[in-house]
Amino acid sequence: MKTAGKAAALAAAALMLMQCSCSGKQEIHSQPEQTVISLAWWGNDPRTEYTLEAVQLFQELHPDIKVNCSYSEWSGYEARNRIRMVSDTEADIMLINVGWLDDFSADGTGYYDLSKVSDVLDLSNFPEDALQYGMRGGVLNAIPIAMNAETVYINKTVYEEHGLDVPQTWDDLFAAADVLKKDGIYPLCGASKAVWLYTIAYAEQQTGKSFLDSSGSVAFTPEDIQVMIDFYIRMVNCKVIPKIEDFKKTKVENGTCAGAVAWVSDAINYFGSSIERGDEITAADYTAFSPEESGEGWYEKPATLYAMSKNTAHPEEAALLLDFLLNNREMSLLQGVEKGIPISKAALTCLGEEGMLSGLLYEASTVMDNNTKLREMSPMLENTDLINRFNDAANLALYNKATVDEAAQQFYEACSRSFGTSQAADTYY
């Protein structure tokens, strides 16, 4: 009986491994061996949801590849990314910030050379000038997904209710403040970084100099920094903007602020509620002393990029995933313009065919793309410590704890100690 039982078990096991083919021949089927790769990104719930759905589609197209996903909000992702990069435990494919290229791969060796997988990753969808953003040390370390720039958004409904046109110049904003402040409304507002970059644009136009020199050192003199601080104080005192520490996105949503300086990628994040209640929002030209100067002193950068780990054991499979994320039609439809207007020609064509290239974010991207005076943003301009030091100096003068020239000198000396300064400022026009 024991022998018969063993025979029956073996027969059952054999039947589970064998099926009849159409030709009548018996074939043995087993689960295909899978190559495991990893993907990491940051973002809100909608981004996570469509990315997980896209990964499922990719795995259906490539059943021999399994993708392990890691994701979180920005702050957690950034902190973990730094640990993983220094410990060589980063994901095979990862969403990165452009500043991380200088942090981790200044010489081009910190990430994988994507040109080595160009037989799988279709780079022909990206113009050379876009790919340059991902180059370090002559090595293609990353592919930009979309471009980004601080943009001036105006609630036309509020402005028109007060008899105002969309502002184009600095003077237009101060004139708007004279009208709007009677109803407790600011013409504009912005988070700390946005206001910082806004004051740089004003000062660069005023002085004709670049804030940074070609080496990345601070090129402004104490006198140039005074221009920045003076302008910030004047905007606050004239009710053009609320103080930096008083900024809240809810002031845009409830109409206390009739405009904002924010990234292209933040268009809906800031103005989605206003659009839903029927307000007309527009992406204005970059503020300048005259419309002809619009764009001078303003900067653009990749919104986000994808990079591949230099330690990946499966570069071909990782490249398949990267190509899918950047160029695949189904992925493009899922992502839409959530990360910005895609640079990839394949993705852009797909969105155009489906009528998805419209709305405020697309309008802001068009304003950015059509302006030829925007320059490449140095990661130094987004240095949190630098921005905080400027805010501290500006507040000293704003609250009469120091004169403007004393505050400017303090900021200049802090820059010199921490970042380096140069008296030879680059001119740009």
Side-chain angles (χ1 to χ4, degrees):
M1 292 294 292
K2 290 182 180 179
T3 303
K6 288 182 180 179
L10 288 172
L15 284 172
M16 292 175 67
L17 294 172
M18 299 171 65
Q19 292 181 346
C20 292
S21 68
C22 294
S23 62
K25 295 180 180 179
Q26 289 182 326
E27 295 179 345
I28 297 177
H29 291 268
S30 61
Q31 187 72 21
E33 185 176 348
Q34 289 184 303
T35 298
V36 179
I37 59 176
S38 53
L39 169 66
W41 71 88
W42 76 83
N44 53 20
D45 290 343
R47 176 180 292 182
T48 293
E49 289 168 6
Y50 76 68
T51 306
L52 289 173
E53 186 174 348
V55 167
Q56 182 61 38
L57 289 174
F58 174 80
Q59 291 179 143
E60 291 172 4
L61 289 172
H62 303 279
D64 57 329
I65 302 175
K66 176 176 174 54
V67 182
N68 288 333
C69 297
S70 173
Y71 47 89
S72 66
E73 293 291 338
W74 162 253
S75 57
Y77 182 89
E78 180 187 27
R80 281 194 295 274
N81 175 76
R82 293 188 178 278
I83 295 171
R84 289 173 177 172
M85 286 299 295
V86 298
S87 61
D88 291 334
T89 57
E90 68 275 11
D92 292 288
I93 297 296
M94 65 199 101
L95 193 65
I96 70 167
N97 189 336
V98 66
W100 296 352
L101 289 169
D102 289 335
D103 290 345
F104 303 115
S105 189
D107 62 355
T109 62
Y111 296 101
Y112 194 88
D113 181 359
L114 296 176
S115 66
K116 293 181 178 179
V117 289
S118 59
D119 57 329
V120 177
L121 172 61
D122 188 357
L123 297 176
S124 67
N125 280 306
F126 299 86
E128 281 300 318
D129 60 345
L131 292 178
Q132 285 301 313
Y133 283 101
M135 299 283 286
R136 292 296 184 273
V139 178
L140 182 60
N141 275 178
I143 308 291
I145 301 168
M147 295 301 294
N148 215 0
E150 292 285 5
T151 301
V152 180
Y153 297 98
I154 297 297
N155 188 322
K156 286 185 68 176
T157 300
V158 174
Y159 267 71
E160 289 176 355
E161 285 173 352
H162 289 80
L164 296 168
D165 294 327
V166 173
Q168 294 181 297
T169 68
W170 307 110
D171 287 343
D172 289 343
L173 277 171
F174 284 89
D178 286 340
V179 175
L180 294 172
K181 67 184 179 183
K182 298 169 186 175
D183 290 332
I185 300 172
Y186 291 95
L188 211 59
C189 64
S192 177
K193 185 186 294 184
V195 173
W196 152 258
L197 292 171
Y198 202 55
T199 61
I200 286 178
Y202 176 88
E204 288 197 1
Q205 291 174 23
Q206 178 79 287
T207 65
K209 299 177 182 177
S210 297
F211 181 79
L212 298 175
D213 65 17
S214 56
S215 70
S217 296
V218 175
F220 266 21
T221 65
E223 292 73 26
D224 301 325
I225 294 167
Q226 283 186 49
V227 174
M228 293 178 63
I229 295 176
D230 267 329
F231 181 62
Y232 171 71
I233 293 173
R234 189 158 66 95
M235 285 196 295
V236 170
N237 288 339
C238 293
K239 307 298 183 184
V240 172
I241 62 170
K243 296 190 295 290
I244 290 170
E245 57 266 31
D246 292 341
F247 167 77
K248 292 182 176 64
K249 188 163 68 74
T250 53
K251 291 188 175 183
V252 178
E253 296 169 346
N254 65 22
T256 302
C257 293
V261 181
W263 296 111
V264 168
S265 56
D266 272 336
I268 303 305
N269 181 33
Y270 273 67
F271 289 97
S273 298
S274 303
I275 293 170
E276 286 178 5
R277 69 169 175 258
D279 289 357
E280 182 182 357
I281 312 300
T282 189
D285 289 334
Y286 303 102
T287 318
F289 284 99
S290 68
E292 295 73 28
E293 297 172 289
S294 179
E296 290 176 352
W298 293 75
Y299 294 84
E300 65 179 349
K301 66 167 189 173
T304 49
L305 309 90
Y306 278 121
M308 185 188 298
S309 168
K310 67 180 185 297
N311 302 303
T312 182
H314 308 288
E316 183 171 337
E317 288 82 358
L320 281 170
L321 175 60
L322 182 52
D323 188 74
F324 178 88
L325 294 170
L326 291 167
N327 300 319
N328 179 269
R329 181 179 182 83
E330 285 73 19
M331 174 63 190
S332 300
L333 293 176
L334 286 171
Q335 180 171 278
V337 296
E338 189 273 330
K339 287 192 178 79
I341 304 304
I343 297 173
S344 164
K345 288 185 290 187
L348 195 63
T349 298
C350 169
L351 296 184
E353 291 173 350
E354 297 297 326
M356 297 174 67
L357 295 178
S358 61
L360 183 59
L361 194 151
Y362 181 66
E363 181 186 345
S365 292
T366 301
V367 171
M368 175 179 61
D369 292 343
N370 290 342
N371 194 297
T372 61
K373 295 179 181 178
L374 301 183
R375 290 179 293 149
E376 181 177 349
M377 181 179 289
S378 165
M380 179 61 73
L381 290 178
E382 296 189 86
N383 183 283
T384 301
D385 190 39
L386 186 68
I387 297 170
N388 289 340
R389 288 173 186 266
F390 174 77
N391 292 343
D392 290 342
N395 278 335
L396 283 175
L398 179 66
Y399 294 111
N400 297 315
K401 302 295 185 182
T403 64
V404 172
D405 60 329
E406 288 170 344
Q409 184 65 38
Q410 175 178 306
F411 178 65
Y412 179 80
E413 290 174 358
C415 289
S416 180
R417 290 191 301 269
S418 301
F419 310 104
T421 55
S422 168
Q423 292 292 331
D426 297 330
T427 56
Y428 62 87
Y429 64 86

